[in-house]
Amino acid sequence: MRAGKKPKAGGMGNMQKQMQQMQQMQRKMDELQKEIDAMETTATSGGGAVTVTVTGKKEIKSIEIQPEVVDPDDIEMLQDLLMVAANEALRQMEEISQNEMSKLTGSLGIPGL
């Protein structure tokens, strides 16, 4: 830098603009997370014998069991059906959540977001 020349102040304004953009992105992500939290997905197992619904918060909302699969002599089968349906519903919700977030963050071009 030559004597008598001051550095340009453009760097500070650029940083403020980037901070505003990041704050705006954070607000959008918060809004999107609220939308995802309100979503639900349902999965079944045993040909519809067990149905599990989970929320976007990845909490089980309901479990429905058809009476014909309730066999006191085969509790393990019912447990397996519940586990399969619950895990599938949670997997689906995770996929939905990731897809929705990637729509928002994909435009940033930042790996890992």
Side-chain angles (χ1 to χ4, degrees):
M1 189 179 341
R2 287 192 256 159
K5 284 204 166 192
K6 294 184 180 178
K8 293 183 180 179
M12 187 58 108
N14 206 13
M15 185 179 279
Q16 282 182 325
K17 185 177 180 181
Q18 288 176 340
M19 289 298 292
Q20 289 172 344
Q21 289 173 337
M22 291 302 289
Q23 288 170 345
Q24 183 180 17
M25 178 62 67
Q26 183 62 49
R27 282 192 297 273
K28 287 180 181 179
M29 288 178 76
D30 290 344
E31 290 171 14
L32 181 56
Q33 187 60 55
K34 286 179 186 175
E35 290 176 26
I36 291 169
D37 288 349
M39 293 179 178
E40 295 180 359
T41 190
T42 300
T44 63
S45 64
V50 173
T51 303
V52 176
T53 300
V54 297
T55 68
K57 292 181 180 182
K58 298 179 187 83
E59 297 173 344
I60 295 174
K61 180 178 180 180
S62 68
I63 298 173
E64 296 175 24
I65 302 170
Q66 297 301 315
E68 60 269 13
V69 297
V70 181
D71 180 354
D73 295 326
D74 194 4
I75 297 297
E76 287 181 17
M77 179 187 70
L78 181 56
Q79 291 169 335
D80 288 344
L81 291 172
L82 284 166
M83 186 172 46
V84 167
N87 285 334
E88 177 59 18
L90 290 167
R91 186 200 64 73
Q92 288 176 13
M93 186 50 69
E94 180 65 24
E95 185 176 316
I96 290 168
S97 179
Q98 287 181 359
N99 286 339
E100 292 299 315
M101 281 295 181
S102 70
K103 289 177 189 175
L104 180 63
T105 60
S107 63
L108 293 177
I110 300 173
L113 283 183

